[in-house]
Amino acid sequence: MNKNKFTPIANLGEFNLIDNLVSDIKINSSLTKMGIGDDAAVIPYLKNEDYLISTDMLVEGVHFDSAYTPLKHLGYKSIVVNVSDICAMNGHATHALVSLAIPNKYSLEHISTLYEGVKLACANYSIDLIGGDTTSSSSGLVINVSIVGKVNGKKITYRKGAKPNELLCVSGDLGAAYLGLQILERERYIFNENQNVQPELENYKYILERQLKPEARVDVIDILKKNEIQPSAMIDISDGLSSDIRHICKASNIGVKIFENKIPISSFTSEAAIELNINPTICALHGGEDYELLFTAPLAAQSKLEAIKDTHIIGHMTSTPFKIELITTSEQSVDISSDGWDSFIEKN
Ligand code: ADP
Ligand code: MG
């Protein structure tokens, strides 16, 4: 067999790989309202209510390092990242299935601790755990969660609904989860060099929590509804602002202009970035795992949006397909490329 005939997946990256696998998939069931291509699939349920279905996997050594990830947090996060995809469709999660592949280095006590986190998240988000699957793993721990939610069929927000001139908004703040990860990596490195050094994590509470125990922005969905703001497109930021806005632009066939000075960054994030000699804006643009909501809304919603404490208008959509333009603090226009998280691209 000629090895050169094979395409390494690392050359493709996650999104090209998915495109390759699914581009010829046809919808066979008349019940499928939305299949592949958004944060969740949509299947009609009642006249005015649809089911949302999504799944996400956390893999040891790829998405988490068992050396510094508390298992309870990991269980919690495995549910939250899925709830976040339901939020991104403007819906509410209702049911979850949890599947585990467990290597033999983990004990019952370890997995029970993981499940404490799963149960806590299910309680906090009012979700019923209704099943799953359990098997052994010959390498790392794998946690796969499938989630079901519901949404008013007329209020679903797809990635494809954005129009030129609409506002681009984001909830919360960005870049913190990435910096939390950098701090954990740094402390692990120091500990490996000298096991007598205790990690100093007290100063980094906010960013560590954002990495280890994120929350899904159900509150943002609720406040938008309360204010009668219907987002035209929405996605949750799992891979990074630059990468996830690209999905909205691609699906909506438009472009975007983002203003650097409008991107919300917590002072805890900026301080850690400066300490690590990284530009805070780079962290906010390209760092993933913040699980904030990125959405577009009509210009008419501007004053209502400005009045909501935890949402920020960071730019507007343009008519040039796929052009992602950053207007820097010094008013330079920069075309930004996708450097979001991709689990297949080898990092140095
Ligand atoms: P998200 O980051 O919101 O979880 P992804 O980028 O993982 O979304 O997935 C994008 C779309 O591709 C989704 O509709 C997802 O269900 C689909 N998808 C991802 N992997 C596969 C796969 N192996 N087979 C079929 N569909 C997939
Ligand atoms: Mg998503």
Side-chain angles (χ1 to χ4, degrees), residues 14-15 18 22 35-39 56 85 159 236 238-239:
E14 179 182 336
F15 304 125
I18 297 173
V22 305
I36 293 166
D38 219 296
D39 292 285
D56 236 316
D85 276 323
R159 296 175 179 179
D236 65 321
S238 52
D239 298 330

Side-chain angles (χ1 to χ4, degrees), residues 50-294:
D50 291 347
Y51 282 128
L52 297 167
I53 302 174
S54 184
T55 189
D56 236 316
M57 190 149 53
L58 295 178
V59 177
E60 183 172 354
V62 178
H63 300 98
F64 66 92
D65 187 324
S66 55
Y68 55 66
T69 310
L71 286 165
K72 186 171 174 183
H73 288 63
L74 184 63
Y76 193 90
K77 184 171 176 174
S78 71
I79 297 292
V80 165
V81 300
N82 279 277
V83 176
S84 181
D85 276 323
I86 299 296
C87 290
M89 305 297 289
N90 209 21
H92 288 88
T94 55
H95 299 84
L97 296 107
V98 177
S99 298
L100 302 174
I102 309 168
N104 59 16
K105 69 175 177 181
Y106 287 89
S107 65
L108 167 65
E109 288 72 16
H110 287 128
I111 303 303
S112 298
T113 308
L114 177 88
Y115 253 64
E116 280 176 32
V118 167
K119 290 172 195 168
L120 181 62
C122 286
N124 285 357
Y125 289 93
S126 306
I127 293 168
D128 287 332
L129 179 57
I130 54 164
D133 194 18
T134 307
T135 184
S136 60
S137 164
S138 55
S139 51
L141 176 65
V142 178
I143 308 158
N144 176 245
V145 175
S146 297
I147 196 115
V148 178
K150 61 179 184 155
V151 63
N152 178 326
K154 294 197 178 78
K155 305 284 180 189
I156 303 175
T157 51
Y158 295 104
R159 296 175 179 179
K160 65 183 178 195
K163 287 166 213 70
N165 299 321
E166 285 189 332
L167 302 167
L168 178 69
C169 309
V170 71
S171 63
D173 58 76
L174 301 179
Y178 173 77
L179 278 157
L181 182 63
Q182 300 314 304
I183 293 294
L184 289 166
E185 291 281 351
R186 182 183 74 175
E187 295 305 314
R188 184 187 59 160
Y189 178 80
I190 294 170
F191 183 76
N192 286 346
E193 293 289 296
N194 180 353
Q195 314 219 332
N196 295 319
V197 179
Q198 282 304 307
E200 282 182 31
L201 299 175
E202 201 39 47
N203 292 342
Y204 308 108
K205 214 164 164 262
Y206 179 72
I207 59 172
L208 291 175
E209 192 150 306
R210 295 280 285 165
Q211 166 60 222
L212 295 173
K213 191 175 170 289
E215 300 288 355
R217 298 309 304 262
V218 180
D219 58 327
V220 173
I221 298 302
D222 292 340
I223 201 154
L224 290 176
K225 185 175 177 201
K226 196 170 149 222
N227 283 277
E228 295 175 350
I229 300 168
Q230 171 64 32
S232 48
M234 187 149 58
I235 189 167
D236 65 321
I237 302 189
S238 52
D239 298 330
L241 171 60
S242 66
S243 186
D244 289 316
I245 185 59
R246 186 158 278 100
H247 291 308
I248 289 186
C249 289
K250 199 173 159 204
S252 302
N253 200 28
I254 56 175
V256 69
K257 208 176 251 195
I258 302 173
F259 294 87
E260 182 183 9
N261 63 358
K262 303 282 187 203
I263 300 175
I265 301 176
S266 147
S267 59
F268 297 113
T269 305
S270 302
E271 280 162 25
I274 289 160
E275 186 189 329
L276 295 178
N277 217 4
I278 317 175
N279 180 334
T281 302
I282 297 290
C283 301
L285 278 174
H286 306 307
E289 294 197 291
D290 288 312
Y291 297 101
E292 294 296 343
L293 294 173
L294 181 67

